[in-house]
Amino acid sequence: MYRKDAEHVNEILNQEKSIYIQISEMIENDILRDVLLEDERVPSTNELAKLYAINPSTAAKGINILVDAGILYKKRGIGMFVSDGAKEVIRTKRKARFC
């Protein structure tokens, strides 16, 4: 499934940010920590919805943010995958927040 044993810090959804933003940030964090590697499948919207007890459309919104940013890409009928260079895209995006 999505979370690989003890390779990550458990992240819990909170009320500080919108849930879909938290979902996208958790996936970004897993990419930065090498929990999710380039060309590796990420969890489906239904898997995320079940894991975090959220609506699948909320999970889809979080994933679509990453697709729009070029961090994930779709393989029709198979799922979403981490794009080549995703780590650098995330780092650049996060650095821009602080400039």
Side-chain angles (χ1 to χ4, degrees):
M1 183 133 177
Y2 176 41
R3 298 292 188 172
K4 296 180 180 176
D5 300 330
E7 289 185 45
H8 65 37
V9 176
N10 280 334
E11 296 185 65
I12 299 170
L13 298 174
N14 61 55
Q15 300 295 320
E16 295 174 18
K17 295 181 185 176
S18 296
I19 292 171
Y20 70 93
I21 292 172
Q22 293 178 68
I23 293 293
S24 66
E25 288 177 349
M26 282 190 271
I27 294 170
E28 284 181 350
N29 291 340
D30 283 350
I31 293 168
L32 291 174
R33 286 193 224 114
D34 291 326
V35 174
L36 291 170
L37 304 173
E38 289 182 353
D39 296 315
E40 187 173 345
R41 185 183 164 281
V42 299
S44 71
T45 56
N46 288 329
E47 289 168 335
L48 288 169
K50 185 176 179 181
L51 184 65
Y52 293 108
I54 60 173
N55 189 305
S57 64
T58 301
K61 193 170 180 180
I63 286 179
N64 286 333
I65 289 171
L66 300 176
V67 171
D68 292 344
I71 295 166
L72 301 181
Y73 66 93
K74 298 177 186 183
K75 283 188 180 179
R76 190 174 186 150
I78 299 174
M80 301 286 187
F81 292 80
V82 179
S83 299
D84 290 338
K87 254 188 185 181
E88 192 55 39
V89 171
I90 296 166
R91 285 186 186 124
T92 301
K93 181 176 95 166
R94 291 186 177 187
K95 282 179 188 176
R97 284 188 206 162
F98 296 105
C99 294

